[in-house]
Every structure is written in C-alpha cells, then in structure tokens.
Amino acid sequence: MSREFSGKISDRLSRLSIELPSWGFADTGTRFGKYLQDAAALTLEDKLDDAAEVHRLTGACPSVAVHVLWDLPEGGATALAAAARARGLRIGSINPNVFQDQCYRHGSVANEDAAVRRRAVDHMLDSVAVARAVGSRTLALWFADGTSYPGQGSFVRRKRWFTEALAEVHAALDRDMRMLVEYKPFEPAFYHTDIADWGMAAAFARHAGPKAKVLVDTGHHLPGQNIEHIVAFLADEGMLGGFHFNDRHYADDDLTTGSIDPYRVFRIFVAIAEAERGAGRDLDIEYMVDQSHNEKPKIEAMIQTVTTVQELFAKALLVDLDRLDAARAANDIVAAEECLKSAFATDVRGALAAWRESRGLPRDPLAAHRASGYVARAAAARLPRKKASGGSYA
Ligand code: PSV
Ligand code: MN
C-alpha cells in the first residue's frame, strides 16, 4: 500500500460524515448501576463541547444526534440549533423518546391504551417539528415496544397499530425529510419485539411511505446473523437509510466499532462500496454512532470509533471490485475471497495519517486528544457542578 490514497479513495473518505450521539458523552450505566466519570457531560452544552472536540480532531463529525427528552434546552429547538452552530456543528437525527415515561411501561404505539398510543404519536409529531426547526432532515425511530410473555399481546393488532402510527408520522414529514425505522430482536422485552428484524422494519417503512427507510444498528442482530447480506439486500431495495455503529459480542453491548469483529464491519463497507459502484453515486445513508461507554473514557471511545470506521471504510474501498467480479464469474472462490482478505490485511494507517495531515488535521486524533488536556479541563469545570447537583458521586 502506497503512503497515499488514490484521489478516488481520498475523495470518498472526505465525503464520509459520521454522526455522534449526544447520549454518548453523558454519564450512563448498566442495568446494575451508573458509573460516573469526572469529565462526563452534564448539560447539552457539555455534550456539544465534547462532540465538537471529536470533530475538531477528526474533521469527520459535523453533526450530533439528539434525543428529544434528554436534549431540548429551555429555549427549545431554536436554542438547540444555535448551541450546535456556535460550536461549528449542526443537529442531525432527531430521536423521539417513547420509552422512558411511566405510561410506556406496556409499550408506546402498540400499547393497549389508545390514549398512550396517541401520546406516543403526538410526541413523534412534535419531534418532526423539532427537526424542522433545527434544520434536520432525519427522524430516527426506535421503539422499546414488545412483550415478555407468550399470550401477552396480539402480534397482529400491535402490527396494525404500528402501521397506522408510522403512516401518520410519515404524513407529517416535509418533502426533504426522511424517517428511519430501527429494529432490535429483543430488549427491553424478552419474548417478542414489535420491530424485531430488518424485514419487519422494511415492511413497516414501505407501508409508511417513500420517505421511510431502515436503520441498521449493528448491535441489534442475533448471534451469527449475516449483517452485510442484510445491508446489501436493503441497499438494492433502496431501503437502506442509515447505520447505528457499535460492536457486540453477546447482545446489544455498545462496544466501540470494530473492537470485536473488524472484518465484519469491513464486509459491511464492501457491500456499500459494491452498491455505490452499481448506483454510480454515494448511497444516501446516514452513518451514525450509537454507543454509550461506561468504562472507556467517552471522548476517546468516540475518536477510536471514528478512526476505526475510516480505516475499515478505506480498506473496503481498496477491494478491487472488477477482479472480484471476474473471480466470481469464474467460480474462483479462493481468488474472490483473497480480494477481500488482501484489502482487509492492508495497513492503511499511514495513508490515513497523511490524508488527515493534508486536510489540516492531526495525523493521530487520539494522541492529539490525549495531549490536549481537554479531559482534565472538562473534569475541572464539570466536577464541582456534578457534586453540587448531588446524587451518589463518590
Ligand atoms: C436502543 O437500543 C438504541 O439502539 C436506539 O437507537 C436508541 O435510540 C439508542 O439505543 C439509545 O437509547
Ligand atoms: Mn441504535
């Protein structure tokens, strides 16, 4: 591998934006406890500061996903957009929250209670208004709806409620907006989830209308599932709307992307590279991170994820797709597989460092972050506030 990427690879990488999640910078926890970090964000402003730090170092993260109930400041959407703008960022996907309030104990749009279903739809309609006000085109929908016991709910009735709700929200979208439908096989429900897999998400999206697409959260698959096949299939159907990046070993583990299985992420990106070659243009999909770290320092984990995504994306762009097709046509399985393996084995870190440098960015964003003193400054500013706000900080 030469020390420089070809113009084509370098240009495609420059167009790869990765959205950061506001919830990735705040203190979060497991089901068993919340573990606090001195430098973790407390306020929306803190979260945006942290996201801006990742963007400053990587140049690849101009937008931040927000969760409506967690991130709307007193000044509402206008203040939200202004706070992002002041830091050189913009607000990206708007994530309604129809899972946190007590009324959603037994579901949101699939709740047996019509008043709760209404409230959930109204919240999503309000979220469309927030998207409009902040200039975001993306409503990202995830539902915790499901049941934990056989017999607890009617699959079909719930399916119809979902269909109606998504169609109503779709009808409220502006012409240039889109809604992404995320799936998850289980959790928090343990018997069935109303949008359990990509096929259900695609069916719901199709019923809702042309602005609805599928959101693939890489952590939301059963063990052994072939995610790159799903990605290729959805892309070919014009139904691939975006990603939530993370990695997993057992379930929805929220680990940094590529930490467990970088070859899988690479294969997903090869599927995208093939789809883009077929389309003759970049796919219109959102690349978003969905991770919330309790053990790793949060900003470091985000930088690691962004640089790993760039590395694996670059490796996927190195696959010689013409050679791959020729090998396939000749039923030369070994040569086909070697096309992937040799690209994956290429060390692109030097070329990426040179590419960053050419764009005025640090060659090694993680090292630059560690040397910057940002975390110590953030901790010094935030710790007193954290202590003053009480809680169990010790
Ligand atoms: C649910 O597990 C999920 O993946 C959804 O995308 C949520 O928006 C996100 O995590 C944060 O709760
Ligand atoms: Mn997700």
Side-chain angles (χ1 to χ4, degrees), residues 58-137:
T58 61
C61 308
S63 66
V64 180
V66 293
H67 249 292
V68 173
L69 290 190
W70 304 336
D71 295 317
L72 257 200
E74 270 188 17
T78 317
L80 177 61
R85 227 178 4 254
R87 292 162 177 82
L89 301 170
R90 63 180 169 75
I91 299 300
S93 62
I94 305 296
N95 294 249
N97 184 320
V98 288
F99 48 85
Q100 171 181 315
D101 294 348
Q102 290 302 316
C103 67
Y104 297 130
R105 175 195 297 258
H106 299 303
S108 62
V109 296
N111 198 300
E112 290 285 336
D113 184 340
V116 177
R117 296 200 299 276
R118 188 66 246 158
R119 178 168 161 171
V121 172
D122 284 345
H123 176 65
M124 288 189 276
L125 297 175
D126 290 346
S127 302
V128 173
V130 170
R132 188 174 295 129
V134 300
S136 163
R137 67 163 191 159

Side-chain angles (χ1 to χ4, degrees), residues 239-364:
M239 293 304 289
L240 181 62
F243 286 97
H244 271 177
F245 288 132
N246 43 52
D247 210 342
R248 41 90 36 94
H249 193 56
Y250 295 104
D252 186 22
D253 303 332
D254 257 12
L255 303 178
T256 43
T257 299
S259 54
I260 300 294
D261 190 350
Y263 192 43
R264 189 211 294 276
V265 183
F266 162 81
R267 295 192 308 266
I268 290 172
F269 291 152
V270 173
I272 290 173
E274 287 200 75
E276 294 196 341
R277 181 188 57 166
R281 55 172 173 78
D282 296 354
L283 296 189
D284 184 16
I285 53 182
E286 326 262 347
Y287 297 92
M288 301 173 278
V289 177
D290 183 4
Q291 295 168 22
S292 184
H293 293 276
N294 302 311
E295 292 189 83
K296 281 183 174 174
K298 293 164 193 292
I299 296 177
E300 289 191 11
M302 289 298 162
I303 295 173
Q304 231 190 352
T305 287
V306 172
T307 54
T308 303
V309 165
Q310 289 175 323
E311 279 170 28
L312 295 167
F313 202 88
K315 286 171 190 257
L317 294 173
L318 288 175
V319 173
D320 185 336
L321 295 178
D322 294 333
R323 249 181 72 201
L324 181 62
D325 273 342
R328 287 166 173 167
N331 284 318
D332 189 343
I333 303 168
V334 172
E337 190 193 3
E338 287 300 321
C339 279
L340 299 200
K341 286 181 70 179
S342 69
F344 183 65
T346 307
D347 187 353
V348 295
R349 287 173 297 182
L352 265 173
W355 171 77
R356 288 195 184 101
E357 197 167 37
S358 73
R359 306 176 74 222
L361 295 165
R363 290 175 64 86
D364 181 344

Side-chain angles (χ1 to χ4, degrees), residues 67 95-96 98-99 140-144 180 182-184 187-188 220:
H67 249 292
N95 294 249
V98 288
F99 48 85
L141 301 177
W142 174 72
F143 300 90
L180 305 182
E182 186 172 353
Y183 56 92
K184 186 174 186 179
E187 203 209 14
H220 292 186

